[in-house]
Short mmCIF file of all heavy atoms in Angstrom, two decimals:
data_model
loop_
_atom_site.label_atom_id
_atom_site.label_comp_id
_atom_site.label_asym_id
_atom_site.label_seq_id
_atom_site.Cartn_x
_atom_site.Cartn_y
_atom_site.Cartn_z
N ARG A 88 -17.71 4.71 4.26
CA ARG A 88 -17.62 4.12 2.86
C ARG A 88 -16.28 3.61 2.58
O ARG A 88 -16.10 2.97 1.57
CB ARG A 88 -18.13 5.30 1.84
CG ARG A 88 -19.49 5.59 1.85
CD ARG A 88 -19.78 6.37 0.63
NE ARG A 88 -19.33 5.64 -0.62
CZ ARG A 88 -19.20 6.24 -1.86
NH1 ARG A 88 -19.49 7.50 -1.99
NH2 ARG A 88 -18.86 5.64 -2.84
N LEU A 89 -15.37 3.86 3.43
CA LEU A 89 -13.95 3.52 3.06
C LEU A 89 -13.54 2.24 3.49
O LEU A 89 -12.35 1.81 3.45
CB LEU A 89 -13.06 4.66 3.53
CG LEU A 89 -13.29 6.11 3.05
CD1 LEU A 89 -12.32 7.04 3.57
CD2 LEU A 89 -13.39 6.11 1.55
N ALA A 90 -14.41 1.50 4.15
CA ALA A 90 -14.15 0.08 4.67
C ALA A 90 -13.45 -0.76 3.62
O ALA A 90 -13.97 -0.82 2.47
CB ALA A 90 -15.40 -0.60 5.28
N GLY A 91 -12.28 -1.34 3.90
CA GLY A 91 -11.67 -2.06 2.82
C GLY A 91 -10.75 -1.42 1.90
O GLY A 91 -10.04 -2.01 1.04
N LEU A 92 -10.74 -0.10 1.90
CA LEU A 92 -9.92 0.63 0.94
C LEU A 92 -8.39 0.24 0.93
O LEU A 92 -7.81 0.06 -0.17
CB LEU A 92 -9.98 2.12 1.20
CG LEU A 92 -9.33 3.10 0.21
CD1 LEU A 92 -9.86 2.71 -1.28
CD2 LEU A 92 -9.47 4.46 0.55
N PRO A 93 -7.76 0.09 2.13
CA PRO A 93 -6.27 -0.31 2.07
C PRO A 93 -6.15 -1.66 1.27
O PRO A 93 -5.11 -1.85 0.57
CB PRO A 93 -5.99 -0.51 3.45
CG PRO A 93 -6.88 0.31 4.27
CD PRO A 93 -8.20 0.33 3.48
N LEU A 94 -7.21 -2.61 1.49
CA LEU A 94 -7.17 -3.82 0.83
C LEU A 94 -7.26 -3.72 -0.69
O LEU A 94 -6.66 -4.40 -1.46
CB LEU A 94 -8.12 -4.82 1.32
CG LEU A 94 -7.81 -5.43 2.76
CD1 LEU A 94 -8.21 -4.32 3.79
CD2 LEU A 94 -8.46 -6.69 3.08
N ALA A 95 -8.25 -2.75 -1.15
CA ALA A 95 -8.49 -2.54 -2.52
C ALA A 95 -7.15 -1.98 -3.17
O ALA A 95 -6.82 -2.30 -4.33
CB ALA A 95 -9.56 -1.69 -2.68
N ILE A 96 -6.50 -1.10 -2.45
CA ILE A 96 -5.21 -0.50 -2.95
C ILE A 96 -4.15 -1.66 -3.03
O ILE A 96 -3.46 -1.68 -4.08
CB ILE A 96 -4.69 0.59 -1.94
CG1 ILE A 96 -5.73 1.70 -1.91
CG2 ILE A 96 -3.35 1.06 -2.43
CD1 ILE A 96 -5.99 2.37 -3.24
N GLY A 97 -4.09 -2.66 -2.18
CA GLY A 97 -3.21 -3.75 -2.33
C GLY A 97 -3.51 -4.47 -3.54
O GLY A 97 -2.61 -4.84 -4.36
N VAL A 98 -4.86 -4.68 -3.95
CA VAL A 98 -5.22 -5.44 -5.17
C VAL A 98 -4.78 -4.69 -6.36
O VAL A 98 -4.24 -5.21 -7.27
CB VAL A 98 -6.65 -5.62 -5.20
CG1 VAL A 98 -7.20 -6.19 -6.53
CG2 VAL A 98 -7.19 -6.58 -4.07
N ALA A 99 -4.91 -3.29 -6.33
CA ALA A 99 -4.52 -2.45 -7.44
C ALA A 99 -3.08 -2.62 -7.67
O ALA A 99 -2.63 -2.68 -8.88
CB ALA A 99 -4.98 -0.92 -7.21
N LEU A 100 -2.19 -2.52 -6.54
CA LEU A 100 -0.78 -2.60 -6.73
C LEU A 100 -0.43 -3.99 -7.29
O LEU A 100 0.38 -4.13 -8.17
CB LEU A 100 -0.12 -2.38 -5.35
CG LEU A 100 -0.14 -1.05 -4.82
CD1 LEU A 100 0.64 -1.14 -3.47
CD2 LEU A 100 0.66 -0.26 -5.80
N ALA A 101 -1.15 -5.07 -6.78
CA ALA A 101 -0.67 -6.45 -7.22
C ALA A 101 -1.08 -6.63 -8.70
O ALA A 101 -0.32 -7.21 -9.47
CB ALA A 101 -1.41 -7.41 -6.31
N GLU A 102 -2.15 -6.04 -9.12
CA GLU A 102 -2.64 -6.20 -10.47
C GLU A 102 -1.79 -5.48 -11.46
O GLU A 102 -1.45 -5.87 -12.51
CB GLU A 102 -4.15 -5.85 -10.64
CG GLU A 102 -5.03 -6.92 -9.91
CD GLU A 102 -6.53 -6.54 -10.02
OE1 GLU A 102 -6.92 -5.46 -10.40
OE2 GLU A 102 -7.32 -7.47 -9.61
N THR A 103 -1.30 -4.24 -11.02
CA THR A 103 -0.32 -3.45 -11.79
C THR A 103 0.90 -4.18 -12.02
O THR A 103 1.54 -4.17 -13.06
CB THR A 103 -0.20 -2.07 -11.23
OG1 THR A 103 -1.50 -1.49 -11.13
CG2 THR A 103 0.62 -1.26 -12.10
N LEU A 104 1.44 -4.72 -10.92
CA LEU A 104 2.75 -5.41 -10.84
C LEU A 104 2.72 -6.63 -11.80
O LEU A 104 3.65 -6.99 -12.46
CB LEU A 104 3.34 -5.69 -9.41
CG LEU A 104 3.64 -4.54 -8.59
CD1 LEU A 104 3.88 -4.89 -7.11
CD2 LEU A 104 4.87 -3.75 -9.14
N ASP A 105 1.53 -7.25 -11.66
CA ASP A 105 1.30 -8.52 -12.51
C ASP A 105 1.44 -8.15 -14.01
O ASP A 105 2.16 -8.88 -14.77
CB ASP A 105 -0.21 -8.94 -12.31
CG ASP A 105 -0.38 -10.42 -12.16
OD1 ASP A 105 0.62 -11.08 -12.45
OD2 ASP A 105 -1.47 -10.86 -11.87
N LYS A 106 0.92 -7.06 -14.34
CA LYS A 106 1.02 -6.64 -15.73
C LYS A 106 2.48 -6.32 -16.23
O LYS A 106 2.89 -6.39 -17.37
CB LYS A 106 0.28 -5.38 -16.07
CG LYS A 106 -1.27 -5.62 -16.11
CD LYS A 106 -2.03 -4.33 -16.53
CE LYS A 106 -3.54 -4.43 -16.29
NZ LYS A 106 -4.17 -3.16 -15.98
N LEU A 107 3.36 -6.03 -15.16
CA LEU A 107 4.72 -5.66 -15.43
C LEU A 107 5.53 -7.01 -15.25
O LEU A 107 6.71 -6.99 -15.25
CB LEU A 107 5.20 -4.58 -14.43
CG LEU A 107 4.50 -3.30 -14.60
CD1 LEU A 107 4.94 -2.34 -13.47
CD2 LEU A 107 4.75 -2.67 -15.87
N GLY A 108 4.84 -8.12 -14.99
CA GLY A 108 5.48 -9.36 -14.91
C GLY A 108 5.99 -9.80 -13.55
O GLY A 108 6.68 -10.71 -13.37
N VAL A 109 5.40 -9.25 -12.56
CA VAL A 109 5.87 -9.52 -11.06
C VAL A 109 4.66 -10.03 -10.41
O VAL A 109 3.65 -9.34 -10.17
CB VAL A 109 6.47 -8.18 -10.40
CG1 VAL A 109 6.76 -8.50 -8.93
CG2 VAL A 109 7.63 -7.76 -11.16
N GLN A 110 4.71 -11.20 -9.76
CA GLN A 110 3.63 -11.78 -9.02
C GLN A 110 3.97 -11.53 -7.49
O GLN A 110 4.98 -11.67 -7.00
CB GLN A 110 3.53 -13.37 -9.13
CG GLN A 110 2.67 -13.75 -10.27
CD GLN A 110 3.29 -13.43 -11.60
OE1 GLN A 110 4.41 -13.95 -11.84
NE2 GLN A 110 2.77 -12.78 -12.60
N VAL A 111 2.88 -11.07 -6.95
CA VAL A 111 3.05 -10.85 -5.40
C VAL A 111 1.83 -11.28 -4.71
O VAL A 111 0.75 -11.54 -5.24
CB VAL A 111 3.09 -9.21 -5.21
CG1 VAL A 111 4.35 -8.53 -5.76
CG2 VAL A 111 1.83 -8.50 -5.57
N GLY A 112 1.95 -11.40 -3.40
CA GLY A 112 0.86 -11.93 -2.43
C GLY A 112 0.48 -10.71 -1.55
O GLY A 112 1.20 -9.73 -1.45
N LEU A 113 -0.74 -10.83 -0.95
CA LEU A 113 -1.28 -9.90 -0.04
C LEU A 113 -1.46 -10.43 1.35
O LEU A 113 -1.77 -11.60 1.54
CB LEU A 113 -2.62 -9.34 -0.63
CG LEU A 113 -2.60 -8.79 -2.00
CD1 LEU A 113 -4.03 -8.39 -2.55
CD2 LEU A 113 -1.72 -7.43 -1.91
N LYS A 114 -1.10 -9.66 2.29
CA LYS A 114 -1.23 -9.95 3.62
C LYS A 114 -2.13 -8.92 4.29
O LYS A 114 -1.99 -7.80 4.17
CB LYS A 114 0.17 -9.98 4.39
CG LYS A 114 0.07 -10.37 5.85
CD LYS A 114 1.34 -9.73 6.54
CE LYS A 114 0.99 -9.45 8.04
NZ LYS A 114 2.05 -8.65 8.70
N TRP A 115 -3.11 -9.49 5.11
CA TRP A 115 -4.19 -8.66 5.67
C TRP A 115 -3.51 -7.89 6.81
O TRP A 115 -2.62 -8.39 7.57
CB TRP A 115 -5.27 -9.51 6.32
CG TRP A 115 -6.35 -8.80 6.75
CD1 TRP A 115 -7.43 -8.39 6.24
CD2 TRP A 115 -6.48 -8.36 8.24
NE1 TRP A 115 -8.36 -7.73 7.07
CE2 TRP A 115 -7.79 -7.72 8.27
CE3 TRP A 115 -5.75 -8.56 9.36
CZ2 TRP A 115 -8.30 -7.18 9.53
CZ3 TRP A 115 -6.27 -7.97 10.63
CH2 TRP A 115 -7.47 -7.32 10.65
N PRO A 116 -3.76 -6.56 6.98
CA PRO A 116 -4.60 -5.81 6.10
C PRO A 116 -4.01 -4.97 4.94
O PRO A 116 -4.69 -4.79 3.85
CB PRO A 116 -5.36 -4.76 7.07
CG PRO A 116 -4.33 -4.49 8.00
CD PRO A 116 -3.37 -5.76 8.23
N ASN A 117 -2.77 -4.76 5.08
CA ASN A 117 -2.23 -3.66 4.18
C ASN A 117 -0.87 -4.07 3.57
O ASN A 117 -0.21 -2.95 3.21
CB ASN A 117 -2.19 -2.26 4.84
CG ASN A 117 -1.15 -2.22 5.92
OD1 ASN A 117 -0.76 -3.28 6.51
ND2 ASN A 117 -0.82 -1.05 6.29
#
Side-chain angles (χ1 to χ4, degrees):
R88 284 197 55 196
L89 304 181
L92 183 60
L94 288 82
I96 297 299
V98 171
L100 287 179
E102 291 178 347
T103 304
L104 291 172
D105 221 352
K106 286 187 193 152
L107 300 172
V109 177
Q110 271 75 54
V111 297
L113 298 172
K114 179 200 150 194
W115 186 87
N117 68 336

